[in-house]
Amino acid sequence: GQNIDQPTEMTATEGAIVQINCTYQTSGFNGLFWYQQHAGEAPTFLSYNVLDGLEEKGRFSSFLSRSKGYSYLLLKELQMKDSASYLCALTNRDDKIIFGKGTRLHILP
Amino acid sequence: GAGVSQSPRYKVTKRGQDVALRCDPISGHVSLYWYRQALGQGPEFLTYFNYEAQQDKSGLPNDRFSAERPEGSISTLTIQRTEQRDSAMYRCASSLSGPRTDTQYFGPGTRLTVL
């Protein structure tokens, strides 16, 4: 079967760095997405990793290790507007897509 | 053009009634997805279409749930004989091509409440 684990909640301070981890199990893994979802709004795309390594995009970076079934989302220079849920989602070669339950990130001033 | 739209945004119905939820994807997007999202949880996959073909309906909870996309554009998710446990946010998403590599663009959702 397929399974995704990510922490339920995290708290960090404005201006700091936070790393949100995601571990997964699936057959025929293809790629891994990160989405951001503010309360009451629709999820929006942040990043996509298919190869091992780090993908950097401004203040946000995403890392993937296929052999370890592990990814993380790194958020730098945190801003209050980064308070949101962060969803890890994977796809496999059968075109299955599964979302994790999301990590609620609270930013303190 | 515009993003993914869904209607109605809110639907309140009585147990036992049928409901139809509509999704209008981004123009030109081949794939369309339906999800159900409980409060504080991630989206739960229900079904997806490539053009008008329903490629995967493994996530539909039971045979009261059905979906169609007859002309490869607008899609309707129908829930027959609604039950209170069907109350949730139903989200639609679309992507330019298939789910394997493509970004999904989500609609605002339909909040369904079954009394």
Side-chain angles (χ1 to χ4, degrees):
Chain A
Q2 300 178 98
N3 188 54
I4 294 180
D5 283 314
Q6 50 181 132
T8 304
E9 285 189 271
M10 297 182 71
T11 301
T13 305
E14 192 176 13
I17 299 173
V18 70
Q19 177 175 311
I20 302 174
N21 295 327
C22 170
T23 58
Y24 64 86
Q25 292 177 307
T26 187
S27 55
F29 173 83
N30 185 76
L32 191 137
F33 290 85
W34 284 95
Y35 284 82
Q36 181 190 57
Q37 186 173 24
H38 285 101
E41 297 183 10
T44 56
F45 170 80
L46 286 177
S47 68
Y48 172 63
N49 294 70
V50 64
L51 300 176
D52 285 358
L54 189 67
E55 295 275 346
E56 296 187 76
K57 195 186 289 187
R59 293 189 300 114
F60 292 9
S61 303
S62 56
F63 171 84
L64 176 66
S65 169
R66 297 172 68 111
S67 61
K68 294 182 180 176
Y70 168 67
S71 173
Y72 67 73
L73 181 69
L74 192 70
L75 292 75
K76 302 176 187 175
E77 300 168 18
L78 286 170
Q79 303 175 9
M80 296 303 292
K81 67 178 182 179
D82 298 331
S83 293
S85 286
Y86 291 87
L87 302 164
C88 174
L90 62 84
T91 60
N92 70 13
R93 286 191 281 274
D94 294 328
D95 286 346
K96 293 285 188 188
I97 180 162
I98 180 171
F99 279 81
K101 294 183 177 180
T103 298
R104 282 191 300 282
L105 178 62
H106 305 281
I107 309 296
L108 303 176
Chain B
V4 178
S5 60
Q6 292 185 243
S7 61
R9 293 292 306 278
Y10 301 91
K11 177 71 178 177
V12 180
T13 190
K14 291 184 178 178
R15 189 177 53 187
Q17 297 294 306
D18 298 350
V19 294
L21 312 180
R22 174 185 163 125
C23 173
D24 201 340
I26 293 173
S27 177
H29 276 196
V30 166
S31 295
L32 183 147
Y33 313 81
W34 283 101
Y35 295 91
R36 181 167 66 178
Q37 188 171 21
L39 200 61
Q41 302 290 312
E44 174 195 5
F45 171 80
L46 296 178
T47 185
Y48 101 91
F49 293 82
N50 262 5
Y51 298 103
E52 71 281 1
Q54 192 169 19
Q55 298 292 115
D56 184 350
K57 55 181 181 179
S58 62
L60 296 176
N62 51 61
D63 59 8
R64 295 187 296 105
F65 287 72
S66 62
E68 61 174 10
R69 193 187 185 197
E71 296 177 2
S73 179
I74 292 167
S75 177
T76 302
L77 177 70
T78 301
I79 309 173
Q80 295 179 310
R81 306 180 302 281
T82 52
E83 301 177 5
Q84 287 185 324
R85 59 178 172 157
D86 299 333
S87 295
M89 176 71 83
Y90 288 84
R91 293 199 186 273
C92 171
S94 69
S95 66
L96 195 56
S97 61
R100 207 177 296 180
T101 59
D102 236 9
T103 299
Q104 295 190 23
Y105 296 85
F106 283 82
T110 295
R111 169 74 64 189
L112 175 66
T113 303
V114 182
L115 302 176

